[in-house]
Amino acid sequence: MRSYPIRVPRVSYRGADPRKKWKRDNANRVAGKIETYINDEMKQLPADSVHVFCSYEIASSIMEDSDMVQDLVFGIDAGSNGVTVYKGDYEKALANPQ
């Protein structure tokens, strides 16, 4: 479980291969969209709340490749099927799931 606001890890590549650079840039673009989507959704929820985001739901909402989204979501909290995010106080958030 991660606390709001979340950060999606970015992909790094320092080599000279243009194809690998393109893949890195594309993955980082999608990571930014995932991060923005989750943080915007959490911003609308009340304080001390918990929400589960499924990878397929995120991919559908941001209109990106489902496999890539699953790989990037795995980097948030080691769960490719989704991520659970809490906002505010952890104990209160668990006692009051949304």
Side-chain angles (χ1 to χ4, degrees), residues 22-77:
W22 179 85
K23 286 177 78 173
R24 175 208 55 204
D25 293 343
N26 189 45
N28 289 339
R29 178 188 60 80
V30 174
K33 287 177 77 173
I34 293 169
E35 191 172 290
T36 300
Y37 173 76
I38 292 174
N39 287 332
D40 287 350
E41 291 294 313
M42 288 301 295
K43 188 185 306 180
Q44 297 173 14
L45 294 177
D48 305 326
S49 58
V50 177
H51 189 75
V52 177
F53 294 93
C54 298
S55 294
Y56 68 86
E57 168 195 330
I58 297 168
S60 176
S61 296
I62 65 173
M63 294 182 280
E64 293 292 345
D65 179 61
S66 181
D67 292 333
M68 180 183 291
V69 170
Q70 283 181 335
D71 290 343
L72 293 167
V73 167
F74 183 83
I76 299 172
D77 199 28

